[in-house]
Amino acid sequence: EVQLVESGGGLVQPGGALRLSCAASGFTFTSSWMTWVRQAPGKGLAWVANINQDGSVQYYVDSVKGRFTISRDNAKNSLFLQMNSLRVEDTAIYYCTKGRYFHVWGQGTTVTVSS
Amino acid sequence: DVVMTQSPLSLPVTLGQPASISCRSSQSLVHSDGNTYLYWFQQRPGQSPRRLIYWVSNRDSGVPDRFSGSGSGTDFTLKISRVEAEDAGVYYCMQGTHLWTFGQGTKVEIK
């Protein structure tokens, strides 16, 4: 069974940083693109970033470029999202998803940016 | 940027009756490789989203056959042939042809 388990969320002040992690199991991680999607409170879904199988290609939504970095550790079947210079508008549930087209989703981890 | 526009945004439905959600894109979703990267997701209350449909009309594994997707170019539709109680939630279309963009979501409520 495919499983994605996110962690690392929490409360952080504006301008602060957080690193999200996603532990993957039940599929060949090294063969799969991976993606982060977020959902602000009471709002819809929004693609954030994704990364190819060997980590050599990344795409970002414009609003996080230069602040967020997606990466992966294929030896540990793990996906990461380093979030710097956090803003109030980054407050959301962050979901880790399998593939370029969001085939399977984790349960999400909550990030709250507030003073 | 490609804008995805869903309608209606709220859809009250009676159990056993059909339901239909429209999704329109601001530009064609036909990729240079010939594929159309249009997807549908369901998010039940308090749950993570779940993909229902990929490439316009293909059901993901385990998705009941009362769900169907259709369309081409810029106009797409998700249909539920006979709504069941477990279908309540928010439905999103998403395009993956020009980066990735979701629609605003359509809330399906059981009357």
Side-chain angles (χ1 to χ4, degrees):
Chain A
E1 179 193 5
V2 174
Q3 276 205 313
L4 300 169
V5 180
E6 303 93 332
S7 61
L11 173 64
V12 62
Q13 292 188 337
L18 275 179
R19 187 188 195 216
L20 306 184
S21 300
C22 172
S25 61
F27 66 101
T28 305
F29 185 73
T30 53
S31 297
S32 187
W33 278 73
M34 296 296 294
T35 302
W36 288 100
V37 176
R38 67 184 178 184
Q39 185 170 34
K43 302 297 185 182
L45 303 171
W47 163 70
V48 175
N50 46 22
I51 189 167
N52 73 337
Q53 291 88 338
D54 66 5
S56 61
V57 177
Q58 306 100 37
Y59 296 103
Y60 298 92
V61 67
D62 284 349
S63 60
V64 309
K65 282 181 183 175
R67 301 188 300 123
F68 291 10
T69 302
I70 188 171
S71 63
R72 62 193 295 160
D73 183 339
N74 284 345
K76 296 183 178 180
N77 286 358
S78 294
L79 176 71
F80 306 102
L81 186 67
Q82 178 65 45
M83 305 187 295
N84 298 331
S85 303
L86 281 161
R87 305 168 180 169
V88 170
E89 55 266 33
D90 295 319
T91 295
I93 298 172
Y94 284 73
Y95 294 101
C96 167
T97 74
K98 175 180 178 287
R100 296 181 73 170
Y101 305 110
F102 318 163
H103 186 195
V104 180
W105 297 60
Q107 86 289 347
T109 187
T110 300
V111 173
T112 304
V113 185
S114 174
S115 54
Chain B
D1 292 2
V2 176
V3 177
M4 305 296 286
T5 303
Q6 292 182 227
S7 62
L9 298 184
S10 179
L11 183 57
V13 294
T14 301
L15 288 174
Q17 293 301 302
S20 180
I21 301 170
S22 171
C23 175
R24 291 184 174 174
S25 58
S26 59
Q27 55 184 280
S28 174
L29 298 186
V30 179
H31 194 274
S32 56
D33 64 9
N35 292 321
T36 299
Y37 294 95
L38 187 283
Y39 304 81
W40 289 95
F41 297 83
Q42 174 196 60
Q43 187 174 30
R44 292 171 172 152
Q47 294 188 12
S48 300
R50 166 199 183 194
R51 200 177 75 181
L52 298 176
I53 301 285
Y54 63 96
W55 298 345
V56 180
S57 59
N58 297 275
R59 277 188 303 276
D60 274 284
S61 176
V63 175
D65 60 7
R66 63 179 181 275
F67 290 94
S68 64
S70 63
S72 63
T74 60
D75 288 346
F76 304 92
T77 302
L78 176 71
K79 293 184 178 178
I80 311 173
S81 59
R82 293 174 304 279
V83 171
E84 298 189 4
E86 65 180 17
D87 299 336
V90 181
Y91 291 78
Y92 297 91
C93 61
M94 188 211 75
Q95 67 83 20
T97 298
H98 311 284
L99 295 183
W100 295 265
T101 316
F102 287 92
Q104 320 97 300
T106 295
K107 187 173 184 178
V108 172
E109 300 173 302
I110 309 300
K111 287 182 184 176

